[in-house]
């Protein structure tokens, strides 16, 4: 499955773009799901001494899937192809690597 195939499949379970406050719903949903990943990692640090062998990978896969769903639907809301978003990101990172500026901070480095 490529990114656009996934995006089309995700949209079958999404609300209508014209739903009230849909943009805010999608952004907050994305942040919330990313927060659930952070919460699982926090508990791994707190309760399991950061032992990655004890990380529940099935739970992480489920949460990553939720992040992917919100990303795909939000991209569609903004009239962006998920394939295009992925390609732009890889190109940006390759350019930063070529210029030896992967480290550091700032979107325009």
């Amino acid at each position: 499955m490529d990114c656009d195939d996934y995006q089309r499949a995700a949209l079958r379970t999404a609300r209508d773009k014209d739903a009230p406050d849909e943009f805010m719903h999608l952004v907050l949903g994305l942040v919330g799901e990313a927060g659930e990943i952070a919460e699982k990692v926090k508990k791994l640090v707190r309760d399991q001494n950061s032992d990655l062998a004890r990380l529940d990978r099935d739970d992480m896969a489920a949460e990553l899937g939720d992040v992917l769903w919100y990303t795909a639907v939000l991209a569609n809301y903004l009239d962006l192809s998920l394939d295009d978003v992925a390609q732009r990101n890889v190109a940006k990172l390759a350019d930063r690597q070529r210029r030896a500026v992967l480290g550091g901070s700032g979107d325009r480095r």
Side-chain angles (χ1 to χ4, degrees):
M1 171 179 286
D2 72 15
C3 292
D4 282 346
D5 288 340
Y6 177 85
Q7 188 174 32
R8 282 188 291 278
L11 288 170
R12 290 196 295 265
T13 58
R15 293 188 337 169
D16 188 76
K17 282 175 96 169
D18 295 329
D21 296 320
E22 185 59 6
F23 176 72
M24 293 300 292
H25 164 252
L26 294 171
V27 169
L28 294 173
L30 176 60
V31 171
E33 294 300 338
E36 288 187 35
I37 291 170
E39 183 70 16
K40 289 180 184 304
V41 172
K42 179 203 75 172
K43 289 178 180 178
L44 182 74
V45 170
R46 182 191 68 198
D47 301 336
Q48 307 297 333
N49 286 334
S50 302
D51 182 359
L52 285 177
R54 303 196 65 183
L55 181 67
D56 188 327
R57 283 170 166 65
D58 287 336
D59 277 356
M60 291 297 285
E63 298 304 337
L64 288 166
D66 291 342
V67 167
L68 182 59
W69 185 91
Y70 275 103
T71 300
V73 177
L74 179 58
N76 177 75
Y77 185 91
L78 298 171
D79 297 321
L80 297 169
S81 148
L82 194 57
D83 265 346
D84 185 52
V85 170
Q87 289 171 3
R88 286 181 190 197
N89 184 254
V90 169
K92 174 187 77 176
L93 295 173
D95 178 62
R96 286 181 182 173
Q97 184 177 40
R98 180 185 54 76
R99 294 180 294 113
V101 292
L102 274 175
S105 62
D107 288 337
R108 303 276 183 221
R109 62 194 132 131

